[in-house]
Amino acid sequence: MSTEGLTRRRGAGASPAVGPSTGGFDSSPSIPSSSSNAPKRPGNNVPTSSAGGAGGAGAMEGRGKIAYDPRDFENGDEAEKMPRLTIMEEILLLGLKDKAGYLSFWNDNISYALRGCILIELALRRRIAMVRDPSRRRLALSDRLIEVIDDRQTGETLLDEALKMMKSSEKYGTGAWVDLMSGETWNVMKIGYQLKQVRERLAKGLVDKGVLRTEKRNFLLFDMATHPIADMNAKDDVMRRVLTLLTARTAAIPPQALQKEEVKYRHMRAVVLVCAAYASSVLENALQRLSYDSREAAFARCDDILAEFCTWPFGQGTSNVAGPVTIGGGTRKREGGSGGVGRESVQELVREVRKEMAAGTANAGPGAGGGQEEQEELCFEVIATVLEIFGRMDSLL
């Protein structure tokens, strides 16, 4: 049976207590029995007693054997450190109309930005990185080649499809990959690189996670599937983090602006969320309840954040020691930028991201050495490149 076309969906229930397998699919996995003396039939490792839980009924003698994908158990530790929603799904949630269930017809930027978010999510999961070549520094960020450093599947269909495509293809720069996945190419030989129906597939993924529901809506001459919000708490959480980060009145980053503590790279994810929302033209949806002055101040702070993180290394004007310094290595779109507490907050965000990068290298274990540290930086260099592409989009110029 071919594993390439298999789409795996994880249910909310607990999985049977099975261990990882080095082979492909195993139709007769070994499941621990509740009794060490339980009789077993020859050639069948399924015990006669029930395994309990949701899969217990199918594990009894005389029933069909349980088939499972061993890849579901490979990334157990990683899954605990990943948020419930990907960056792409959070951006889509910000753009969706709550009751109507569709995006604005006038938003031409979100499709392109979502392809960039796919690369960012893969880099945060340490699947792709810049090619380790010292001569790459002579090239612009968007022209530096990226490569797959870990081809394990993530469990997210879009991410796995993009990862497989990048693994089997020749190496391209970050800008080229965003263009190819968006279909922005005149080369008909490369049109196959386009990821199609990204927004619809993300919406269906959110339906599977219980965040959206599917309805059919009539638009005069045709019917269209829409996806209204089913779980408002999920969208409220995204909007709360965006609002808190861009309107905080303290230099320290409030915990309400971040993911849960167990989520890896939570400060970096907060940066990417607001910058991607800005480039996707959906940031205003989260700020619409603010007054005019507060909204302009929030946009100015987002400009400062993008200016600090669209360069590599991050925060070239920010020191590791707290104190007043000049920030903004990139081009700021709004004159003057954020001042006072806003600038101090952006500087503190840069320091926290640097700490996360250092912690990611330390968690690699003993013996990693400078190579592991460089690998960590190569992953974050991809993120900086995508943010640099976001900063050059027409919606921000």
Side-chain angles (χ1 to χ4, degrees):
M1 178 178 178
S2 175
T3 62
E4 295 180 359
L6 179 65
T7 299
R8 298 175 291 123
R9 299 187 183 277
R10 292 184 173 86
S15 301
V18 294
S21 171
T22 56
F25 292 100
D26 188 353
S27 60
S28 58
S30 178
I31 304 180
S33 173
S34 58
S35 173
S36 59
N37 297 323
K40 297 182 180 179
R41 298 176 59 188
N44 190 351
N45 291 330
V46 179
T48 57
S49 60
S50 174
M60 297 180 65
E61 184 178 4
R63 300 291 184 90
K65 299 178 182 179
I66 301 174
Y68 72 97
D69 189 342
R71 291 173 296 183
D72 286 331
F73 304 95
E74 289 180 354
N75 303 328
D77 294 338
E78 181 188 64
E80 295 177 357
K81 299 179 181 179
M82 292 297 113
R84 178 190 178 195
L85 304 181
T86 63
I87 296 170
M88 302 89 71
E89 291 171 336
E90 292 180 338
I91 296 301
L92 186 73
L93 270 182
L94 285 176
L96 276 179
K97 302 178 185 295
D98 295 350
K99 297 181 179 180
Y102 56 87
L103 296 165
S104 171
F105 294 119
W106 311 109
N107 191 340
D108 297 329
N109 303 306
I110 189 169
S111 293
Y112 190 85
L114 285 175
R115 270 71 172 189
C117 290
I118 291 176
L119 296 182
I120 291 177
E121 189 71 48
L122 288 173
L124 286 172
R125 295 172 185 244
R126 295 181 60 82
R127 296 301 195 273
I128 61 174
M130 287 288 182
V131 174
R132 189 179 300 181
D133 182 7
S135 62
R136 74 181 187 279
R137 296 183 177 87
R138 295 179 296 181
L139 302 174
L141 277 176
S142 60
D143 294 332
R144 300 177 186 180
L145 301 181
I146 58 179
E147 62 181 350
V148 175
I149 59 174
D150 186 351
D151 59 358
R152 290 179 303 160
Q153 294 196 349
T154 64
E156 299 289 343
T157 307
L158 270 175
L159 295 181
D160 292 338
E161 181 179 337
L163 189 65
K164 178 182 176 182
M165 181 172 59
M166 297 174 72
K167 178 69 175 178
S168 60
S169 169
E170 60 180 296
K171 294 181 177 64
Y172 292 107
T174 308
W177 271 120
V178 177
D179 288 341
L180 289 173
M181 290 192 294
S182 303
E184 299 288 338
T185 176
W186 292 101
N187 190 342
V188 295
M189 301 299 294
K190 296 181 180 180
I191 199 66
Y193 288 112
Q194 181 181 6
L195 291 179
K196 299 180 180 179
Q197 297 181 333
V198 168
R199 290 179 291 180
E200 181 65 20
R201 294 165 68 184
L202 286 174
K204 290 180 178 178
L206 288 171
V207 171
D208 292 339
K209 295 180 180 180
V211 179
L212 304 179
R213 66 178 185 272
T214 302
E215 295 180 356
K216 184 172 289 187
R217 190 181 182 94
N218 181 266
F219 289 89
L220 296 179
L221 300 178
F222 59 93
D223 292 335
M224 186 179 76
T226 59
H227 303 282
I229 307 292
D231 181 10
M232 279 303 301
N233 291 330
K235 183 169 184 177
D236 290 342
D237 176 65
V238 178
M239 296 185 69
R240 185 196 71 247
R241 285 187 276 120
V242 171
L243 274 172
T244 305
L245 184 65
L246 297 181
T247 61
R249 299 185 178 183
T250 59
I253 308 301
Q256 295 81 4
L258 308 172
Q259 298 270 9
K260 297 179 180 179
E261 291 186 4
E262 60 268 18
V263 174
K264 194 175 183 181
Y265 304 133
R266 53 206 293 251
H267 289 86
M268 188 73 253
R269 285 185 173 275
V271 169
V272 171
L273 176 60
V274 296
C275 292
Y278 193 16
S280 304
S281 300
V282 298
L283 181 60
E284 190 168 354
N285 295 350
L287 307 178
Q288 58 186 352
R289 296 182 181 178
L290 299 178
S291 65
Y292 175 81
D293 291 338
S294 299
R295 188 164 59 249
E296 285 299 303
F299 274 114
R301 186 178 299 189
C302 189
D303 273 334
D304 283 340
I305 293 174
L306 183 59
E308 283 296 286
F309 287 93
C310 72
T311 59
W312 183 255
F314 292 140
Q316 295 181 358
T318 302
S319 66
N320 289 326
V321 181
V325 294
T326 302
I327 76 167
T331 304
R332 192 175 290 113
K333 307 299 182 298
R334 279 173 168 74
E335 292 297 331
S338 61
V341 175
R343 292 195 176 189
E344 294 176 6
S345 176
V346 176
Q347 294 166 11
E348 184 63 24
L349 200 55
V350 171
R351 298 186 189 101
E352 292 296 334
V353 169
R354 289 174 179 171
K355 291 178 183 177
E356 288 179 343
M357 293 173 59
T361 303
N363 292 335
Q372 183 66 34
E373 181 178 356
E374 185 179 0
Q375 191 71 71
E376 189 83 7
E377 292 183 353
L378 291 173
C379 293
F380 277 83
E381 189 173 341
V382 174
I383 300 174
T385 306
V386 177
L387 295 182
E388 192 263 343
I389 294 173
F390 284 172
R392 292 190 280 107
M393 289 181 63
D394 293 341
S395 58
L396 303 185
L397 295 177

